[in-house]
């Protein structure tokens, strides 16, 4: 792996150390928790596997994907929280499911395919992706948004989250790419993705109001629902509210807490709309959060000027690696969040025509 010279931030050796920090947290069954002794969730687990793959830790990444394959429920889901037990095993800590967490397996599998071109891996993981995406699409509302959760008793929460639905747009596109790769087209996923992207881009008022969180601000761009100049305008509209010059991005608009993961995700959103220099500067800005050994502190608070909480989370480290890879355009998967290698979204005006074709001309 060569030095990531374009962003001028991190060397390959530094990124390898960051990946090894993630690997040091991985449990023996392959699960990647937030940090030692903490729980894991399906979304951040997959993001950790993606970061491992980028840095050449393919065996560790595939152990993580194998955990996902082995533990998936028959309905396609994983629980929100899984923890390590005293004997080194794992158990469910929160049995509810989050649709965004479930869907993200498609992003991880497509990303790993781009890096490895391992057909056997895709063959093994395709049924896992198919089950997960079918569950998520089944929870789409008439508005196009996706219900955000289902509790342990099977009761669906019909509220929708803008961040989660934005991320699912990306997941659906990756799932569509995998479907094309294995020659099992899923046209209903194409419709679901178009309707969801339309809801995110044109009707954000239809989601539960979490606008105080920076993720609700930039995720419509990062997920690919808002693109081009519209994406730049969306980010510019609240830039001064969330970004502290030279320090990074707030997690919450009215809290003095700057977080590395949100800063790096914002950088990837900027990169997706061509704002490369601003993206690079953000990744530079949060290098004060790098710890000895390659990990990253989750966040930093001011005016106290201290790291909080006092933890080096796997998902923060993973976000740094994925942002650095995207900005350096180093790996074969570096363009994923720019939409490269992904099928286009249907325009909403094309959906009726698409439905008509799928039904053999019957309305």
């Amino acid at each position: 792996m060569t030095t990531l010279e374009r962003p001028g931030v991190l060397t390959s050796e530094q990124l390898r150390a960051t990946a090894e920090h993630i690997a040091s947290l991985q449990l023996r069954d392959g699960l990647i928790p937030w940090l030692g002794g903490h729980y894991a969730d399906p979304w951040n687990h997959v993001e950790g596997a993606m970061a491992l793959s980028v840095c050449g830790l393919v065996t560790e990444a595939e152990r993580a994907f194998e955990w996902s394959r082995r533990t998936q429920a028959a309905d396609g889901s994983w629980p929100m929280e899984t923890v390590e037990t005293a004997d080194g095993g794992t158990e469910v800590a929160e049995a509810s499911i989050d649709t965004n967490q479930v869907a993200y397996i498609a992003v991880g599998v497509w990303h790993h395919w781009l890096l490895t071109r391992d057909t056997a891996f895709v063959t093994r993981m395709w049924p896992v992706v198919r089950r997960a995406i079918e569950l998520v699409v089944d929870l789409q509302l008439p508005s196009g948004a996706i219900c955000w959760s289902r509790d342990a008793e099977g009761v669906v929460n019909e509220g929708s989250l803008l961040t989660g639905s934005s991320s699912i747009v990306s997941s659906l596109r990756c799932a569509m790419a995998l479907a094309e790769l294995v020659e099992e087209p899923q046209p209903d996923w194409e419709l679901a993705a178009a309707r969801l992207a339309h809801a995110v881009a044109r009707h954000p008022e239809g989601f539960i109001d979490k606008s105080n969180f920076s993720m609700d601000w930039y995720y419509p761009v990062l997920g690919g629902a808002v693109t081009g100049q519209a994406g730049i305008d969306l980010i510019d509209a609240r830039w001064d509210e969330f970004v502290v010059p030279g320090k990074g991005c707030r997690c919450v608009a009215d809290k003095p807490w700057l977080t590395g993961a949100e800063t790096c995700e914002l950088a990837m959103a900027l990169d997706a709309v061509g704002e490369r220099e601003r993206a690079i500067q953000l990744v530079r800005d949060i290098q004060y959060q790098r710890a000895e050994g390659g990990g990253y502190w989750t966040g930093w608070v001011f005016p106290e000027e201290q790291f909080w909480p006092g933890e080096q989370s796997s998902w923060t480290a993973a976000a740094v690696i994925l942002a650095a890879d995207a900005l350096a355009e180093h790996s074969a998967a570096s363009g994923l969040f720019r939409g490269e290698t992904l099928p286009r979204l249907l325009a909403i005006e094309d959906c009726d025509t698409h439905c008509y074709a799928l039904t053999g001309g019957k309305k």
Side-chain angles (χ1 to χ4, degrees):
M1 190 177 193
T2 57
T3 301
L4 301 180
E5 294 177 352
R6 191 162 185 179
V9 177
L10 295 163
T11 66
S12 57
E13 291 77 14
Q14 288 173 316
L15 286 177
R16 176 77 178 205
T18 300
E20 288 174 350
H21 169 74
I22 297 171
S24 74
L25 299 172
Q26 188 173 32
L27 304 183
R28 67 187 185 189
D29 67 356
L31 182 63
I32 302 173
W34 284 19
L35 57 147
H38 210 282
Y39 67 77
D41 72 75
W43 197 101
N44 286 296
H45 165 76
V46 167
E47 185 184 43
M50 292 163 64
L52 292 173
S53 296
V54 166
C55 292
L57 300 181
V58 174
T59 298
E60 291 84 349
E62 292 187 352
R63 286 180 56 225
F65 285 115
E66 177 59 21
W67 181 90
S68 297
R69 190 193 67 79
R70 190 176 62 252
T71 62
Q72 186 183 40
D75 68 357
S77 68
W78 294 270
M80 282 189 191
E81 298 176 12
T82 302
V83 296
E84 186 177 18
T85 57
D87 62 0
T90 56
E91 64 183 11
V92 174
E94 172 53 71
S96 299
I97 70 164
D98 180 315
T99 51
N100 176 34
Q101 292 179 354
V102 171
Y104 207 64
I105 188 67
V107 178
V109 172
W110 181 247
H111 181 268
H112 195 73
W113 156 254
L114 292 174
L115 290 170
T116 65
R117 301 291 166 164
D118 185 345
T119 304
F121 170 80
V122 173
T123 299
R124 190 163 62 251
M125 294 301 298
W126 166 244
V128 178
V129 171
R130 187 179 60 233
R131 285 191 294 268
I133 296 300
E134 286 175 350
L135 182 154
V136 171
V137 168
D138 281 347
L139 292 178
Q140 188 165 40
L141 297 167
S143 67
I146 304 285
C147 299
W148 86 268
S149 69
R150 189 189 69 195
D151 70 19
E153 285 69 48
V155 177
V156 175
N157 181 335
E158 294 194 353
S160 300
L161 298 176
L162 185 59
T163 295
S165 283
S166 298
S167 179
I168 293 171
V169 173
S170 179
S171 295
L172 286 171
R173 291 179 74 192
C174 289
M176 288 153 54
L178 286 164
E180 183 178 345
L181 179 65
V182 300
E183 299 182 343
E184 291 187 27
Q186 304 290 327
D188 54 325
W189 297 358
E190 298 176 43
L191 290 169
R195 294 177 57 227
L196 178 58
H198 180 79
V200 168
R202 302 294 182 85
H203 301 288
E205 73 284 352
F207 296 86
I208 297 169
D209 184 12
K210 297 285 185 180
S211 57
N212 209 30
F213 289 82
S214 61
M215 288 190 294
D216 260 31
W217 163 52
Y218 63 76
Y219 247 94
V221 178
L222 182 60
V226 181
T227 60
Q229 188 60 48
I232 296 172
D233 292 345
L234 188 153
I235 289 175
D236 284 348
R238 301 187 71 187
W239 180 268
D240 292 339
E241 189 176 349
F242 285 109
V243 177
V244 177
K247 288 296 183 181
C249 179
R250 298 175 191 253
C251 178
V252 186
D254 59 351
K255 303 295 182 184
W257 185 37
L258 305 170
T259 48
E262 277 79 0
T263 301
C264 287
E265 288 182 338
L266 174 58
M268 288 190 283
L270 285 165
D271 180 50
V273 291
E275 292 287 297
R276 178 63 58 89
E277 292 307 314
R278 269 202 286 178
I280 290 170
Q281 188 59 53
L282 281 175
V283 178
R284 286 196 184 111
D285 287 347
I286 54 90
Q287 292 311 309
Y288 69 93
Q289 295 185 14
R290 186 177 178 87
E292 290 185 17
Y296 281 79
W297 300 102
T298 297
W300 185 83
V301 293
F302 59 93
E304 294 85 354
E305 297 192 353
Q306 64 185 32
F307 297 116
W308 186 88
E311 62 184 36
Q312 297 172 35
S313 49
S314 61
W315 42 272
T316 300
V320 172
I321 290 171
L322 294 176
D325 185 47
L327 294 172
E329 298 185 82
H330 169 71
S331 82
S334 64
L336 190 151
F337 293 102
R338 292 189 293 272
E340 297 171 9
T341 76
L342 297 180
R344 72 174 184 89
L345 288 164
L346 288 173
I348 198 68
E349 57 268 22
D350 294 335
C351 287
D352 286 344
T353 301
H354 197 63
C355 283
Y356 188 74
L358 289 176
T359 58
K362 298 177 181 179
K363 293 185 178 181

